[in-house]
Amino acid sequence: DNPDHEFFIEESFPLDWMYPYLKPHGLIFQINREPLTEVSVKEVAADQAYWKKLTDEMLGDWLNEKTSLKDVCNFSDKYGRGKNLDGYLGEKDFAANEQARKTFSKLRTSIAALYAWRAQNTKDADERERMYLAADLAFRQSYAICPYSPEAIYRYINLLLAHNRADDAVLIAKTSLRLDPDNDQLQSLLSQLMKYR
């Protein structure tokens, strides 16, 4: 037992029991000894500022809380595979590095999933909306970073379907399928999503 030490964790795969104890800390999480009643407004703001700085460097300064999913998908269509980078406003070496994109997307997806879990599990309507908005922004960032990451695709689509946004879920599936047209799982996903419309 180390009561005077702080502990941090990077999510390798989702563990629901952990979510009540986690709060964002840069790229990873701080894990607390007792469950948290909330991730505070200040903590969410700090997380968003940290990731805004990172995504501005990686992608260019265009993605913020007001950026539509359509704009994110248009960006992904144009630059998603990191091949044709004419006009790319971010770090081109990053855009061309598939492993770096997957890694940073996974890290952001993990934090988005924490917000989504909190949105789903709170009884407070204001808190639910605040966590949903935080999750949505974080998922847009993770998807823009790597629009062919299965975690970014599937976990974001789950959030969208839970909030009756089937058309947006279809938009993501179609965009990702254009980037990876031979992906049978994406083809199947799109077929399933079309039934929700």
Side-chain angles (χ1 to χ4, degrees), residues 136-169:
D136 188 57
L137 173 58
F139 275 127
R140 275 179 283 147
Q141 290 170 325
S142 68
Y143 185 75
I145 292 168
C146 190
Y148 48 86
S149 163
E151 287 180 311
I153 295 165
Y154 286 91
R155 290 173 101 173
Y156 192 13
I157 282 175
N158 285 338
L159 179 82
L160 295 171
L161 293 178
H163 288 83
N164 301 311
R165 293 174 58 190
D167 287 346
D168 284 340

Side-chain angles (χ1 to χ4, degrees), residues 115-150:
Y115 293 140
W117 181 89
R118 287 203 161 269
Q120 185 178 4
N121 287 280
T122 184
K123 292 179 171 62
D124 182 270
D126 291 339
E127 179 72 0
R128 186 178 308 116
E129 179 69 6
R130 189 170 72 83
M131 289 292 97
Y132 161 67
L133 292 174
D136 188 57
L137 173 58
F139 275 127
R140 275 179 283 147
Q141 290 170 325
S142 68
Y143 185 75
I145 292 168
C146 190
Y148 48 86
S149 163

Side-chain angles (χ1 to χ4, degrees), residues 58-60 62-63 69-80 88-90 101 143-145 147 175:
M58 292 186 279
L59 310 175
W62 61 271
L63 204 170
L69 181 57
K70 184 176 184 212
D71 287 342
V72 170
C73 288
N74 287 341
F75 173 87
S76 299
D77 269 328
K78 190 168 185 179
Y79 301 117
Y88 189 82
L89 300 175
R101 292 180 77 163
Y143 185 75
I145 292 168
T175 302

Side-chain angles (χ1 to χ4, degrees), residues 3-70:
D4 299 326
H5 290 77
E6 294 180 328
F7 291 90
F8 302 88
I9 188 167
E10 176 188 333
E11 180 188 83
S12 56
F13 56 91
L15 294 171
D16 278 1
W17 72 264
M18 257 190 218
Y19 284 137
Y21 299 86
L22 299 178
K23 65 180 176 183
H25 184 87
L27 296 173
I28 58 174
F29 297 107
Q30 181 173 346
I31 186 163
N32 296 274
R33 288 173 179 76
E34 300 297 327
L36 302 171
T37 56
E38 66 175 10
V39 178
S40 72
V41 171
K42 184 177 177 182
E43 289 162 340
V44 172
D47 172 61
Q48 291 176 338
Y50 179 89
W51 278 92
K52 175 79 169 95
K53 184 176 184 299
L54 272 183
T55 55
D56 284 357
E57 292 170 8
M58 292 186 279
L59 310 175
D61 181 9
W62 61 271
L63 204 170
N64 58 51
E65 65 278 354
K66 294 180 181 173
T67 305
S68 71
L69 181 57
K70 184 176 184 212

